[in-house]
Amino acid sequence: MKSKFLYIVPIILFIIFSFKKNNNENNGLDGSLPQLGKNSIDEILQALTIEEKVNLITGMGMFISGLPEGMIPEMDPSDAGIPDKILGSAGRTHAIPRLGIPSITLSDGPAGVRISPIRGNDSTRTYYATAFPIGTLVASTWDTDLVQDMGKAIGNEAKEYGVDVLLGPAMNIHRNSLAGRNFEYFSEDPLVSGSIAAAIVNGVQSNGIGTSMKHFAANNHEFNRFRMNVHVSERALREIYLKNFQVALQKSEPWTIMSSYNMINGAYTSQNRPLLHTYLRQESKFKGLVMSDWFAGKNAVEQVEAGNDLLMPGTKAQKIAIIDAVNTGKLSMKQLDENVKRVLELVLKSPTFKGYKYSETPDLKQHAQISRQVASEGMILLKNEGVLPMTTVKKIALFGNNSYELIAGGTGSGDVNKSYMISLDKGLENANYIIHANLAAIYKHYYEEGKAKLPPPASPFHPKTVVPEMNINAALAQKMAVENDIAVFTIGKHSGEFVDRTLDNDFNLTSSEKVAFETVSKAFQGQGKKVVVILNIGGVIETASWNDKADAILLAWQGGLESGNAIADILKGNVNPSGKLATTFPIAYKDESSSNNYPGKVTEVISNKMLLADTDAAEVTYEEGIYVGYRYFNTFKVKPSYAFGYGLSYTTFRYDNLTLSSTTFKDKLKVTITVTNSGKVEGKEIVQLYLSAPTNQLNKPESELKAFGKTKLLRPNESQTLIFNISTADLASFSPAKSAWIADAGRYTIKIGSSSLDIKNKAFFTLQKSQQLSKTAKILLPQKAIKELSK
C-alpha cells in the first residue's frame, strides 16, 4: 500500500504543477489575468472569450437621439447604457476591463474634429473645434509642408479632446464634377491626392493619434452608395482609383484605412479579400487595421474573412452572425484572431491606452491662424484684368447672399462644429474697406427671412436647402455703381454627404444668380467700374457662359472659419494668390469623360430601406477608363474652361535651365529647373512636371503628372532651383494582359509647366529597352467586358 502511495504522489504533484503552469500562462505570471501591454497579444487572445473577441471587432453602435425607430439598425442594448466618452464622436470600440483593454474613440474629421460643442444642458462650457478648409482647397495649395502643419493642428485638437483615431483624410478621385463629396476629396489626379493625403496623415499622427484614410476604394458618387456596383477595368482601377492610396501608403503609415460602401466588380469592398488582403496587405504592404464605413457591407462574416478588422459602428445582428459562424465552423478562429490582433495593436498605440490626460483646451486661436494661412494659399485667382489687388479701392458694394454668410465647408461627416465664422463683409471690414451699409442691411434682412422659411434637411448629414439669390433690380444696381468704387459678387454652392449635386441650379448657375450677376455687371461696367466674383463653392461649376462679365474671379472654395479674412488678405494684396487647380473646370458638363454614365442606374428597387443604412441597388460602368480629368481633356483635345494646374498670381515667373541628369534612362533620372520671380511683388509658384510616354504596347494619356513642387516666397528677381527625381515606376503603365507594370522602350518627354496646358520647358530622354516591373495577382477583374474609351 505504501509503495502504491509513493508511486501516485509524484503523478498528483505533476498534475497540480502542470495545471498551475498552464493557468499562469493563460492568466499572467502571478496567476492573475493577463493584461494588455504587460502580456503578449497571443496571451490576451487565449484569455478572451469568443463573445469578447466579437465585441472587439464590432463597434459599440450609433445611438442618435431624435431619429424615428427603424431608421438605423438595431444596436446591442447592453452598449446603450455606457455613456460616450466624447459626445458627438462617430464611434468607439468595446472595452474588456478584466484584461486591461480600454475603449477607444473614433471621430470624424476631414476638415477638423467633429464633436458636439455642448454636452447635455451645460452651456457654460463649450467644446468647439477649428473648421479648416475643405479638401478641394487644401489640395489647391500643392504644398505638402503647409498641409502637414495643418494636419498637426487637427491632430492636436483631436488628441486634446480625447480622440484616438481621426476618420480622415478622405481622398477619393474627382471622377465627375457632380459627386456630392468632392469637397472632401482632393483631386482628379492620384499623385496630388495621395501626396496631400500623406501630408495630413503625417501631420495628424505626429501627435500620437491615428488616422483612417478613406474611402477604399472607387467611392466616387453618393448616388445609392450603399448598394452601388462599380464596373471598372483592372487598368483604370490600378492606375487611377487605387493609385492614390498606393501613393499615400508610400509616403505615410496611416494607422487605419476605411473600406467604402460600394461594390467593385460585384463584391462589396468591405467583403473583398482580393482588395483588402491581396492588394492592400500583400502588394501595398499595409500593416494597419481596416475598418468598415458606417453600416457598410451586407455580410458580417464575409467582412471578417476579407480582412475587414473592425465593423463600424457595430450592430447586434453582426455580433450574432459572427458568433454563430465561429461556433458552426463557417468562420475559423484563426481568422477571427487575426482581426482581433489588429484591433489590439491599434488600442496599444492609442492615447487612451497610454493614459494621456487630455486637456479639452486646445489652442484654437493659433489653429485659426493656420486655417487662415491654408485658406489664403489654396484660393485660386482664375481671372484678373487689372483689378486685383484692390489697393486704391475704399468703398465696396457687396452683392450675393453668401457675401454675408459664407459657406465654411460641406455637410455630413466632413462638417465641423465651430465657434464662429468670419463672413466676407466682416473680413473686408477687418481689412479697412467700407461696405455699403444700406445694401448690406437689405441682404441680411432678405437672407434671415428666407432662412426662416426653409424646410429642415432630411438629416443632419444632408446638404442644406438654400435661400434663392436675392433679386437685384436695375435701379438699385445703378445706385450702387454710382456710390461705390467696385462691386464684389459672391456665388455660393452647398454640397454634402448622401446626395450628389445636380446639373441644373448647382453645376450651372440658377436663373436668379444669373440675372442678379448680369444686372450688377452691366451697371458697374457701364460706369467704367470693375466687378469681382468670389466663388464660395465646394466643387467645380460652369464658368464659361458668364466669366466674360467679370473683371476678376477668385475661386475661394470653402475656407473654414477664417474664410472672410483669408479672402480679404488676397483681395487687398496682403497675400499673393498661389493656389492652382487640382481638378479641371470644363466649359460644359457634357465635356467631362464620365458625363454619359454618371452617376449610374438603379438595377433593383429595395423596399424597407433604413435612412442611414440602405439604398436601392445600382450600378455604373467606368467607360472612360484611365481618361479621367486632364488625362481626357488633353489627350482628346477638349478645351477646358480652366485647365488642371491653372492659377494666376500678382507677379510673373520665368522658367530656365531645365536639365536632365542623363538623356538615357537607367533606373532613375534627376530633373532640375530654375524658377525666377520676374515680376514686381513677392510670390510663390507651383511647378509641375508632366511626362509623355511612348505607346508601343498600351494607349496612354497625352501626359501625366509625375512630380510637383512649390517654391518658397520669392522676392522680385529672386530664383530657386527645384529638383525632381523620376523612377522606373514613373515611366510604367499597367498591362492587364501581362498583369504587370510596363515601361515602354522609346523616347520620353519631360514637360515642366505652370499648368497641364501651359508648358514652359521640355526635355527628352530615351529608355532603350522595355522593362517589366513586378508582376501582380490577377484580381479585381470586371464581371463583364467594358468597352473603354481609347485613342
Side-chain angles (χ1 to χ4, degrees):
M1 186 75 177
K2 183 177 179 181
S3 61
K4 287 183 178 180
F5 179 77
L6 291 174
Y7 177 77
I8 292 172
V9 166
I11 296 175
I12 294 172
L13 291 174
F14 175 79
I15 292 171
I16 292 172
F17 175 78
S18 297
F19 174 78
K20 286 185 176 180
K21 181 175 183 293
N22 289 334
N23 193 55
N24 286 342
E25 286 178 348
N26 288 332
N27 295 329
L29 296 177
D30 61 355
S32 61
L33 290 170
Q35 299 294 298
L36 186 65
K38 295 181 180 178
N39 297 82
S40 70
I41 286 181
D42 286 341
E43 289 174 307
I44 300 296
L45 287 171
Q46 290 178 35
L48 286 165
T49 67
I50 292 176
E51 288 76 14
E52 287 172 332
K53 290 179 180 180
V54 173
N55 266 352
L56 283 172
I57 67 166
T58 55
M60 291 183 66
M62 181 180 243
F63 300 91
I64 304 176
S65 61
L67 284 182
E69 186 177 349
M71 278 195 170
I72 58 175
E74 184 182 1
M75 307 301 167
D76 191 333
S78 63
D79 294 332
I82 303 174
D84 282 311
K85 174 185 172 184
I86 305 168
L87 288 179
S89 59
R92 50 193 175 154
T93 64
H94 282 89
I96 313 292
R98 70 186 187 90
L99 301 177
I101 304 171
S103 170
I104 64 172
T105 298
L106 292 68
S107 176
D108 287 320
V113 185
R114 180 178 169 82
I115 59 175
S116 297
I118 306 294
R119 299 182 181 176
N121 296 319
D122 181 12
S123 60
T124 62
R125 178 79 189 277
T126 57
Y127 306 85
Y128 289 108
T130 303
F132 288 89
I134 59 173
T136 45
L137 186 152
V138 171
S140 299
T141 68
W142 298 61
D143 188 335
T144 53
D145 291 336
L146 177 61
V147 173
Q148 184 164 327
D149 287 341
M150 186 189 83
K152 288 178 183 177
I154 295 175
N156 172 261
E157 284 188 27
K159 186 175 183 179
E160 292 306 324
Y161 277 133
V163 173
D164 297 288
V165 177
L166 193 76
L167 303 176
M171 53 179 296
N172 292 103
I173 293 295
H174 291 177
R175 173 178 176 255
N176 186 281
S177 293
L178 300 185
R181 293 179 82 174
N182 275 356
F183 74 92
E184 276 187 74
Y185 307 149
F186 300 125
S187 178
E188 65 192 31
D189 182 78
L191 177 63
V192 176
S193 176
S195 300
I196 296 296
I200 292 176
V201 168
N202 290 332
V204 170
Q205 292 188 173
S206 68
N207 292 275
I209 73 163
T211 56
S212 190
M213 290 198 317
K214 62 183 188 180
H215 309 86
F216 189 70
N219 185 83
N220 311 108
H221 37 254
E222 292 302 286
F223 173 73
N224 289 324
R225 63 181 183 171
F226 289 99
R227 291 180 183 264
M228 172 62 77
N229 188 12
V230 172
H231 299 286
V232 57
S233 71
E234 189 181 8
R235 183 182 179 190
L237 193 58
R238 286 181 176 275
E239 288 195 17
I240 305 295
Y241 302 103
L242 295 178
K243 186 71 171 180
N244 54 335
F245 288 93
Q246 185 185 68
V247 169
L249 288 173
Q250 290 167 348
K251 299 183 176 187
S252 66
E253 296 181 0
W255 289 9
T256 80
I257 284 178
M258 183 188 295
S259 56
S260 57
Y261 287 119
N262 55 285
M263 291 175 268
I264 294 178
N265 295 328
Y268 284 104
T269 62
S270 62
Q271 298 169 200
N272 193 330
R273 188 169 178 84
L275 177 70
L276 300 183
H277 180 75
T278 308
Y279 179 82
L280 184 59
R281 297 197 183 281
Q282 292 185 337
E283 286 189 32
S284 301
K285 311 300 182 186
F286 176 62
K287 303 298 183 185
L289 173 140
V290 175
M291 70 175 73
S292 72
D293 204 340
W294 268 228
F295 305 108
K298 299 299 175 186
N299 188 309
V301 177
E302 289 185 12
Q303 289 175 300
V304 175
E305 289 178 323
N308 196 110
D309 306 300
L310 179 60
L311 308 187
M312 291 302 296
T315 69
K316 182 179 179 181
Q318 288 174 330
K319 293 182 183 181
I320 293 171
I322 297 169
I323 291 172
D324 181 66
V326 174
N327 289 334
T328 59
K330 293 179 180 178
L331 177 65
S332 71
M333 186 63 73
K334 179 182 178 182
Q335 179 61 62
L336 179 61
D337 283 351
E338 282 184 16
N339 299 82
V340 174
K341 181 180 180 181
R342 293 190 191 107
V343 173
L344 294 176
E345 289 171 342
L346 177 64
V347 172
L348 276 168
K349 293 190 289 188
S350 68
T352 293
F353 179 79
K354 293 179 178 179
Y356 181 73
K357 304 296 182 184
Y358 55 94
S359 67
E360 295 191 325
T361 57
D363 191 344
L364 299 181
K365 187 174 181 180
Q366 179 195 21
H367 296 168
Q369 291 310 304
I370 295 173
S371 179
R372 180 174 177 172
Q373 181 186 359
V374 174
S376 64
E377 294 221 12
M379 293 178 182
I380 302 167
L381 188 60
L382 296 179
K383 182 177 182 179
N384 186 26
E385 296 186 349
V387 187
L388 301 179
M390 302 189 307
T391 54
T392 60
V393 167
K394 292 183 179 180
K395 297 179 180 180
I396 299 176
L398 193 53
F399 295 92
N401 294 349
N402 292 105
S403 292
Y404 302 93
E405 188 168 304
L406 285 170
I407 305 165
T411 58
S413 56
D415 195 9
V416 179
N417 292 310
K418 55 198 173 297
S419 61
Y420 70 89
M421 174 69 198
I422 301 295
S423 59
L424 182 53
D425 63 324
K426 182 62 176 175
L428 292 172
E429 287 173 350
N430 290 342
N432 297 317
Y433 291 108
I434 299 171
I435 305 303
H436 196 284
N438 289 343
L439 182 61
I442 293 170
Y443 264 106
K444 290 177 181 180
H445 176 74
Y446 168 82
Y447 195 68
E448 289 304 317
E449 274 197 341
K451 281 203 302 183
K453 298 174 183 177
L454 294 178
S459 82
F461 297 97
H462 281 72
K464 300 173 183 177
T465 308
V466 298
V467 178
E469 185 60 51
M470 189 179 82
N471 177 54
I472 301 293
N473 61 52
L476 178 60
Q478 289 289 346
K479 177 178 171 60
M480 292 300 105
V482 170
E483 296 178 0
N484 295 277
D485 301 325
I486 199 169
V488 174
F489 195 112
T490 302
I491 296 171
K493 299 289 183 182
H494 287 269
S495 56
E497 199 170 350
F498 282 96
V499 181
D500 284 316
R501 298 170 59 208
T502 60
L503 179 58
D504 294 331
N505 301 324
D506 191 345
F507 178 85
N508 296 324
L509 298 189
T510 66
S511 58
S512 59
E513 287 169 335
K514 290 178 183 177
V515 171
F517 173 64
E518 288 176 3
T519 301
V520 170
S521 178
K522 183 178 180 180
F524 275 76
Q525 291 178 344
Q527 293 282 339
K529 297 180 178 179
K530 305 294 187 179
V531 179
V532 178
V533 173
I534 308 296
L535 295 179
N536 179 212
I537 57 180
V540 172
I541 67 168
E542 187 274 330
T543 58
S545 68
W546 55 265
N547 61 12
D548 61 326
K549 300 177 181 67
D551 299 292
I553 303 173
L554 178 66
L555 174 53
W557 295 117
Q558 292 164 352
L561 80 180
E562 284 284 331
S563 290
N565 285 332
I567 294 171
D569 286 338
I570 292 175
L571 297 184
K572 189 157 189 173
N574 294 336
V575 173
N576 188 346
S578 61
K580 297 201 175 187
L581 287 174
T583 195
T584 304
F585 272 54
I587 289 177
Y589 175 69
K590 65 178 177 59
D591 293 337
E592 295 198 18
S593 60
S594 59
S595 60
N596 289 332
N597 55 54
Y598 192 87
K601 61 183 179 180
V602 172
T603 57
E604 181 186 358
V605 176
I606 306 297
S607 58
N608 301 318
K609 293 189 289 288
M610 290 172 288
L611 173 65
L612 295 183
D614 220 340
T615 58
D616 291 327
E619 67 177 4
V620 63
T621 302
Y622 287 12
E623 296 168 343
E624 70 282 357
I626 61 171
Y627 295 105
V628 178
Y630 73 91
R631 286 169 168 80
Y632 169 73
F633 286 91
N634 295 3
T635 302
F636 292 89
K637 302 190 185 314
V638 178
K639 184 181 178 181
S641 186
Y642 297 106
F644 178 85
Y646 171 86
L648 299 176
S649 171
Y650 294 154
T651 189
T652 56
F653 298 94
R654 189 178 70 248
Y655 289 63
D656 299 303
N657 304 322
L658 173 59
T659 305
L660 307 187
S661 57
S662 174
T663 56
T664 302
F665 187 90
K666 292 181 180 178
D667 299 326
K668 60 183 178 180
L669 188 75
K670 184 169 75 171
V671 181
T672 60
I673 185 75
T674 300
V675 178
T676 303
N677 183 345
S678 55
K680 297 180 179 180
V681 296
E682 61 183 14
K684 299 178 182 180
E685 173 70 331
I686 295 164
V687 181
Q688 302 155 48
L689 186 157
Y690 296 88
L691 183 68
S692 294
T695 56
N696 301 332
Q697 301 180 60
L698 297 166
N699 281 319
K700 294 173 188 173
E702 179 273 335
S703 63
E704 295 182 281
L705 182 75
K706 296 299 179 180
F708 62 88
K710 192 167 187 175
T711 69
K712 66 181 182 178
L713 189 66
L714 297 175
R715 299 184 302 274
N717 299 316
E718 185 178 9
S719 300
Q720 181 179 347
T721 298
L722 284 78
I723 300 173
F724 303 109
N725 294 299
I726 303 299
S727 68
T728 308
D730 293 318
L731 276 55
S733 299
F734 185 76
S735 170
K738 296 184 178 181
S739 295
W741 291 83
I742 305 295
D744 261 336
R747 190 189 198 212
Y748 289 76
T749 306
I750 294 282
K751 300 179 178 181
I752 300 287
S754 60
S755 83
S756 62
L757 290 181
D758 189 4
I759 302 302
K760 306 294 187 181
N761 299 83
K762 293 181 182 181
F764 308 93
F765 67 87
T766 301
L767 180 66
Q768 294 184 335
K769 185 178 180 181
S770 293
Q771 295 186 26
Q772 179 174 299
L773 280 65
S774 57
K775 292 274 290 184
T776 64
K778 208 162 186 64
I779 56 173
L780 308 171
L781 304 181
Q783 298 167 284
K784 61 182 183 180
I786 299 174
K787 187 177 181 181
E788 284 187 314
L789 181 67
S790 64
K791 289 192 290 185

